[in-house]
Amino acid sequence: MAGRNGRTVRDLRRGNRTAVLQRLYFDGPLSRFELGPATGLSSGSISNVVADLIADGLVEEAGSVDSDGGRPRTLLRVAPDSGHMIGVDVGETRVRIELFDLTLTELARAERPLAAQRYDVEVITGHIRDGIAEVLAAAAPPPERLLGVGIGVPGIVERTTDRGAVVHGQTIGWDAVPLEALLRSGSQLPDTVPYFIDNGAKTLGQAE
């Protein structure tokens, strides 16, 4: 059922969950009392959303703090194991692949050194695929909780509708390399896992 603005109950619920998760991720741990002003949601909505998120394993309790004259308030945080991310850095001397939880704690790492012909496309894609398989095998996160793979590469990245991310890197001899399509063609990851491919210096700046 849609409201006057065209939003359905499902849209509203998804928006509320997103608002709570964002505030807990960036500002948490927070109590239910603090989440109200931070998200603009009513106390009743906060209670319902938090109960759903805890039941789904996305949020967990993280201790308590004293309140003014009342009982201690329970703090909440995003559950670290509720999602995982893979980061890949294609550097000058090596390809580094790391697996993180949602607190950006490193769970596993793999490195592949690069020889003289270090930017051969088949070599790079092979290192990335093998490294991803290695870190996933080491930590064994549930496949459905892998949120995405971020890859920093030399050169300029163009996003296309048919081939995904295409890399242009004259200094490394890459001319319109369809890196995302190449990685997906030999990957054991589900097609639903997104790849975020961009210039390495740019991704480092965003991470900082």
Side-chain angles (χ1 to χ4, degrees):
M1 180 178 177
R4 292 181 180 178
N5 58 2
R7 298 184 68 193
T8 65
V9 173
R10 179 177 296 180
D11 293 334
L12 182 61
R13 179 173 177 268
R14 184 182 297 116
N16 290 348
R17 285 167 63 96
T18 299
V20 170
L21 284 172
Q22 284 181 337
R23 290 281 59 80
L24 288 177
Y25 184 81
F26 290 109
D27 302 328
L30 297 171
S31 68
R32 290 171 176 80
F33 179 79
E34 293 170 313
L35 278 169
T39 60
L41 299 176
S42 67
S43 58
S45 294
I46 291 293
S47 295
N48 291 334
V49 171
V50 167
D52 286 344
L53 292 173
I54 290 177
D56 290 342
L58 299 176
V59 167
E60 63 184 16
E61 295 183 355
S64 61
V65 292
D66 292 333
S67 61
D68 297 333
R71 61 183 181 181
R73 292 174 180 154
T74 300
L75 294 175
L76 304 164
R77 68 176 181 182
V78 173
D81 290 335
S82 62
H84 298 85
M85 300 164 282
I86 292 175
V88 178
D89 177 41
V90 180
E92 294 185 1
T93 60
R94 51 93 184 111
V95 176
R96 175 180 293 168
I97 304 94
E98 296 167 291
L99 177 70
F100 302 93
D101 65 16
L102 281 187
T103 63
L104 296 185
T105 297
E106 182 183 301
L107 304 178
R109 174 188 294 193
E111 290 198 3
R112 299 289 189 275
L114 297 177
Q117 301 298 323
R118 58 183 182 271
Y119 289 123
D120 179 85
V121 175
E122 290 187 4
V123 171
I124 295 295
T125 55
H127 284 340
I128 294 174
R129 282 196 294 259
D130 293 346
I132 288 175
E134 182 177 329
V135 297
L136 290 176
E144 68 275 7
R145 293 196 171 178
L146 182 59
L147 303 179
V149 179
I151 304 174
V153 296
I156 299 172
V157 179
E158 174 191 8
R159 287 163 183 80
T160 66
T161 56
D162 55 340
R163 296 184 297 170
V166 174
V167 182
H168 304 271
Q170 293 183 347
T171 59
I172 60 173
W174 284 18
D175 183 16
V177 172
L179 184 60
E180 181 175 346
L182 292 173
L183 291 173
R184 287 191 181 279
S185 66
S187 174
Q188 297 181 350
L189 296 179
D191 292 338
T192 54
V193 175
Y195 284 75
F196 303 94
I197 302 174
D198 213 329
N199 174 269
K202 184 177 179 180
T203 57
L204 181 61
Q206 290 174 335
E208 292 293 339

Coordinates of all heavy atoms in Angstrom, one line a residue, residues 114-165:
L114 N 54.7 -8.7 -7.4 CA 54.7 -8.4 -8.9 C 56.1 -8.4 -9.4 O 57.0 -7.7 -8.9 CB 54.0 -7.1 -9.2 CG 52.5 -7.0 -8.8 CD1 52.0 -5.6 -9.1 CD2 51.7 -8.1 -9.5
A115 N 56.4 -9.2 -10.5 CA 57.7 -9.2 -11.1 C 57.8 -8.1 -12.1 O 57.1 -7.2 -12.1 CB 57.9 -10.6 -11.7
A116 N 58.8 -8.3 -13.0 CA 59.1 -7.2 -14.0 C 57.9 -6.9 -14.8 O 57.6 -5.7 -15.1 CB 60.3 -7.7 -14.9
Q117 N 57.2 -7.9 -15.3 CA 56.0 -7.7 -16.1 C 54.8 -7.6 -15.2 O 53.8 -8.3 -15.3 CB 55.8 -8.8 -17.2 CG 57.0 -9.0 -18.1 CD 57.2 -7.8 -19.0 OE1 56.2 -7.1 -19.4 NE2 58.5 -7.4 -19.2
R118 N 54.9 -6.7 -14.3 CA 53.9 -6.7 -13.1 C 52.5 -6.3 -13.5 O 51.6 -6.7 -12.8 CB 54.4 -5.8 -12.0 CG 54.6 -4.3 -12.5 CD 55.2 -3.5 -11.3 NE 55.4 -2.1 -11.6 CZ 56.5 -1.6 -12.1 NH1 57.5 -2.4 -12.4 NH2 56.6 -0.3 -12.3
Y119 N 52.3 -5.6 -14.6 CA 51.0 -5.1 -14.9 C 50.4 -5.9 -16.1 O 49.4 -5.4 -16.7 CB 51.0 -3.6 -15.3 CG 51.2 -2.8 -14.0 CD1 52.3 -1.9 -14.0 CD2 50.4 -2.9 -12.9 CE1 52.5 -1.1 -12.8 CE2 50.6 -2.2 -11.8 CZ 51.7 -1.3 -11.7 OH 51.9 -0.5 -10.6
D120 N 50.9 -7.1 -16.3 CA 50.2 -8.0 -17.3 C 48.8 -8.2 -16.8 O 48.6 -8.6 -15.6 CB 51.0 -9.3 -17.4 CG 50.3 -10.3 -18.4 OD1 50.5 -10.2 -19.6 OD2 49.5 -11.1 -17.9
V121 N 47.8 -8.0 -17.7 CA 46.4 -8.1 -17.2 C 46.0 -9.5 -16.7 O 45.4 -9.6 -15.6 CB 45.4 -7.7 -18.4 CG1 44.0 -7.9 -18.0 CG2 45.7 -6.3 -18.9
E122 N 46.5 -10.5 -17.3 CA 46.1 -11.9 -16.9 C 46.8 -12.1 -15.5 O 46.1 -12.8 -14.6 CB 46.6 -12.9 -17.9 CG 45.8 -12.9 -19.2 CD 46.2 -14.1 -20.1 OE1 47.0 -14.9 -19.7 OE2 45.6 -14.1 -21.2
V123 N 48.0 -11.6 -15.3 CA 48.6 -11.8 -14.0 C 47.9 -11.1 -12.9 O 47.6 -11.7 -11.8 CB 50.1 -11.3 -14.1 CG1 50.7 -11.3 -12.7 CG2 50.9 -12.2 -15.0
I124 N 47.5 -9.9 -13.2 CA 46.8 -9.1 -12.1 C 45.4 -9.7 -11.8 O 45.1 -9.9 -10.6 CB 46.6 -7.6 -12.6 CG1 48.0 -6.9 -12.8 CG2 45.7 -6.9 -11.6 CD1 48.7 -6.7 -11.5
T125 N 44.7 -10.0 -12.8 CA 43.4 -10.6 -12.5 C 43.5 -12.0 -11.8 O 42.7 -12.3 -10.9 CB 42.6 -10.8 -13.8 OG1 43.3 -11.6 -14.8 CG2 42.2 -9.5 -14.4
G126 N 44.5 -12.7 -12.2 CA 44.7 -14.0 -11.5 C 45.1 -13.8 -10.0 O 44.6 -14.5 -9.1
H127 N 45.9 -12.8 -9.8 CA 46.3 -12.5 -8.4 C 45.1 -12.1 -7.6 O 44.9 -12.5 -6.4 CB 47.4 -11.4 -8.3 CG 48.7 -11.8 -8.7 ND1 49.1 -13.2 -8.7 CD2 49.8 -11.1 -9.1 CE1 50.4 -13.3 -9.0 NE2 50.9 -12.0 -9.3
I128 N 44.2 -11.3 -8.2 CA 43.1 -10.8 -7.4 C 42.1 -11.9 -7.1 O 41.6 -12.1 -6.0 CB 42.4 -9.7 -8.2 CG1 43.3 -8.4 -8.3 CG2 41.0 -9.3 -7.6 CD1 42.7 -7.3 -9.2
R129 N 41.8 -12.7 -8.1 CA 40.9 -13.9 -7.9 C 41.4 -14.8 -6.9 O 40.7 -15.3 -6.0 CB 40.7 -14.6 -9.3 CG 39.7 -13.9 -10.2 CD 39.2 -14.8 -11.3 NE 40.3 -15.2 -12.2 CZ 40.5 -14.6 -13.4 NH1 39.7 -13.7 -13.8 NH2 41.5 -15.0 -14.1
D130 N 42.7 -15.2 -7.0 CA 43.3 -16.1 -6.1 C 43.4 -15.6 -4.7 O 43.2 -16.3 -3.7 CB 44.7 -16.5 -6.5 CG 44.8 -17.3 -7.8 OD1 43.7 -17.8 -8.2 OD2 45.8 -17.4 -8.4
G131 N 43.7 -14.3 -4.6 CA 43.8 -13.6 -3.2 C 42.4 -13.6 -2.6 O 42.3 -13.8 -1.4
I132 N 41.4 -13.2 -3.3 CA 40.0 -13.2 -2.8 C 39.6 -14.6 -2.3 O 39.1 -14.8 -1.2 CB 39.0 -12.7 -3.8 CG1 39.2 -11.2 -4.1 CG2 37.6 -13.0 -3.4 CD1 38.3 -10.7 -5.2
A133 N 39.9 -15.6 -3.1 CA 39.6 -17.0 -2.6 C 40.4 -17.4 -1.3 O 39.9 -18.0 -0.4 CB 40.0 -18.0 -3.7
E134 N 41.6 -16.9 -1.2 CA 42.5 -17.2 -0.1 C 41.9 -16.6 1.2 O 41.8 -17.2 2.2 CB 43.9 -16.8 -0.3 CG 44.9 -17.1 0.8 CD 46.3 -16.7 0.5 OE1 46.7 -16.7 -0.6 OE2 47.0 -16.4 1.5
V135 N 41.6 -15.3 1.1 CA 41.1 -14.6 2.4 C 39.7 -15.1 2.8 O 39.4 -15.2 4.0 CB 41.1 -13.1 2.2 CG1 42.5 -12.6 2.0 CG2 40.1 -12.6 1.1
L136 N 38.9 -15.5 1.8 CA 37.6 -16.1 2.1 C 37.7 -17.4 2.8 O 37.0 -17.8 3.7 CB 36.7 -16.1 0.9 CG 36.2 -14.8 0.3 CD1 35.4 -15.0 -0.9 CD2 35.4 -14.1 1.4
A137 N 38.7 -18.2 2.3 CA 38.9 -19.5 2.9 C 39.5 -19.4 4.3 O 39.2 -20.2 5.1 CB 39.9 -20.3 2.0
A138 N 40.3 -18.4 4.5 CA 40.9 -18.2 5.8 C 39.9 -17.8 6.9 O 40.0 -18.3 8.0 CB 42.0 -17.2 5.7
A139 N 39.0 -17.0 6.5 CA 38.0 -16.5 7.5 C 36.7 -17.1 7.4 O 35.9 -17.1 8.4 CB 37.9 -15.0 7.4
A140 N 36.3 -17.6 6.3 CA 35.1 -18.3 6.0 C 33.8 -17.5 6.5 O 33.0 -18.1 7.2 CB 35.1 -19.7 6.7
P141 N 33.6 -16.3 6.0 CA 32.4 -15.6 6.3 C 31.2 -16.1 5.5 O 31.4 -16.7 4.4 CB 32.7 -14.1 5.9 CG 33.7 -14.3 4.7 CD 34.5 -15.5 5.1
P142 N 30.0 -16.0 6.0 CA 28.9 -16.5 5.3 C 28.8 -15.7 3.9 O 28.9 -14.5 3.9 CB 27.7 -16.1 6.2 CG 28.2 -16.0 7.5 CD 29.6 -15.5 7.4
P143 N 28.6 -16.4 2.8 CA 28.6 -15.7 1.5 C 27.6 -14.6 1.4 O 27.9 -13.5 0.8 CB 28.3 -16.8 0.5 CG 28.7 -18.1 1.2 CD 28.4 -17.9 2.7
E144 N 26.4 -14.7 2.1 CA 25.4 -13.7 1.9 C 25.8 -12.5 2.7 O 25.1 -11.4 2.5 CB 24.1 -14.3 2.5 CG 24.0 -14.5 4.0 CD 24.5 -15.9 4.4 OE1 25.1 -16.6 3.5 OE2 24.4 -16.3 5.5
R145 N 26.8 -12.5 3.5 CA 27.2 -11.3 4.3 C 28.4 -10.6 3.7 O 29.0 -9.7 4.3 CB 27.5 -11.7 5.7 CG 26.2 -12.1 6.4 CD 26.3 -12.1 7.9 NE 25.0 -12.3 8.5 CZ 24.7 -12.4 9.8 NH1 25.8 -12.3 10.7 NH2 23.5 -12.6 10.3
L146 N 28.8 -11.0 2.5 CA 29.9 -10.3 1.8 C 29.2 -9.1 1.1 O 28.5 -9.3 0.1 CB 30.6 -11.2 0.8 CG 31.8 -10.5 0.0 CD1 32.8 -10.0 1.0 CD2 32.4 -11.5 -1.0
L147 N 29.5 -7.9 1.5 CA 28.9 -6.7 1.0 C 29.4 -6.2 -0.3 O 28.8 -5.5 -1.0 CB 28.9 -5.6 2.1 CG 28.3 -5.9 3.4 CD1 28.5 -4.8 4.4 CD2 26.9 -6.3 3.3
G148 N 30.7 -6.5 -0.6 CA 31.3 -6.0 -1.8 C 32.8 -6.1 -1.8 O 33.4 -6.4 -0.8
V149 N 33.4 -5.9 -3.0 CA 34.8 -5.9 -3.2 C 35.3 -4.6 -3.7 O 34.8 -4.1 -4.8 CB 35.2 -7.0 -4.2 CG1 36.7 -7.0 -4.4 CG2 34.7 -8.4 -3.7
G150 N 36.1 -3.9 -3.0 CA 36.7 -2.6 -3.5 C 38.1 -2.8 -4.0 O 38.9 -3.4 -3.4
I151 N 38.4 -2.3 -5.2 CA 39.6 -2.5 -5.8 C 40.2 -1.1 -6.3 O 39.6 -0.4 -7.0 CB 39.5 -3.4 -7.1 CG1 38.8 -4.7 -6.7 CG2 40.9 -3.6 -7.7 CD1 38.5 -5.6 -7.8
G152 N 41.4 -0.9 -5.8 CA 42.2 0.4 -6.2 C 43.2 0.0 -7.2 O 44.0 -0.9 -7.0
V153 N 43.2 0.7 -8.4 CA 44.0 0.4 -9.5 C 44.7 1.6 -10.0 O 44.2 2.7 -9.8 CB 43.3 -0.3 -10.7 CG1 42.7 -1.6 -10.2 CG2 42.2 0.6 -11.2
P154 N 45.9 1.5 -10.7 CA 46.5 2.7 -11.4 C 45.6 3.0 -12.6 O 45.0 2.1 -13.2 CB 47.9 2.2 -11.8 CG 48.1 0.9 -11.1 CD 46.7 0.3 -10.8
G155 N 45.6 4.3 -12.9 CA 44.8 4.7 -14.1 C 43.5 5.3 -13.9 O 43.1 5.5 -12.7
I156 N 42.8 5.5 -15.0 CA 41.4 6.1 -14.9 C 40.4 5.0 -15.1 O 40.5 4.2 -16.0 CB 41.3 7.2 -16.0 CG1 42.3 8.3 -15.8 CG2 39.9 7.8 -16.0 CD1 42.4 9.3 -16.9
V157 N 39.3 5.1 -14.3 CA 38.3 4.0 -14.4 C 37.0 4.6 -15.0 O 36.5 5.7 -14.6 CB 38.0 3.5 -13.0 CG1 36.9 2.4 -13.1 CG2 39.2 2.9 -12.4
E158 N 36.5 3.9 -16.1 CA 35.3 4.3 -16.7 C 34.3 3.2 -16.4 O 34.5 2.0 -16.5 CB 35.5 4.4 -18.3 CG 34.2 4.6 -19.1 CD 34.5 4.4 -20.6 OE1 35.5 3.9 -20.9 OE2 33.5 4.6 -21.3
R159 N 33.0 3.7 -16.1 CA 32.0 2.8 -15.8 C 31.1 2.6 -17.0 O 30.5 3.6 -17.5 CB 31.2 3.2 -14.6 CG 32.0 3.0 -13.3 CD 31.5 3.8 -12.1 NE 32.4 3.6 -10.9 CZ 33.5 4.2 -10.8 NH1 33.9 5.1 -11.6 NH2 34.3 3.9 -9.7
T160 N 30.9 1.4 -17.5 CA 30.1 1.1 -18.7 C 28.9 0.3 -18.3 O 28.9 -0.4 -17.3 CB 30.9 0.4 -19.8 OG1 31.3 -0.9 -19.3 CG2 32.2 1.2 -20.1
T161 N 27.9 0.3 -19.1 CA 26.7 -0.5 -18.8 C 26.8 -1.9 -19.2 O 26.2 -2.8 -18.6 CB 25.5 0.1 -19.6 OG1 25.8 0.2 -21.0 CG2 25.2 1.5 -19.1
D162 N 27.7 -2.2 -20.2 CA 27.8 -3.6 -20.6 C 29.0 -4.4 -20.1 O 28.9 -5.6 -19.9 CB 27.8 -3.6 -22.2 CG 29.0 -2.8 -22.7 OD1 29.4 -1.9 -22.0 OD2 29.4 -3.0 -23.9
R163 N 30.0 -3.7 -19.7 CA 31.2 -4.4 -19.3 C 31.6 -4.0 -17.8 O 32.7 -4.4 -17.3 CB 32.4 -4.1 -20.2 CG 32.2 -4.6 -21.6 CD 33.5 -4.4 -22.5 NE 33.8 -3.0 -22.7 CZ 34.9 -2.6 -23.2 NH1 35.8 -3.4 -23.6 NH2 35.1 -1.3 -23.4
G164 N 30.9 -3.2 -17.2 CA 31.2 -2.7 -15.9 C 32.4 -1.8 -15.9 O 32.5 -0.9 -16.8
A165 N 33.3 -1.8 -14.9 CA 34.4 -0.9 -14.8 C 35.5 -1.3 -15.8 O 35.9 -2.4 -15.9 CB 35.0 -1.0 -13.4

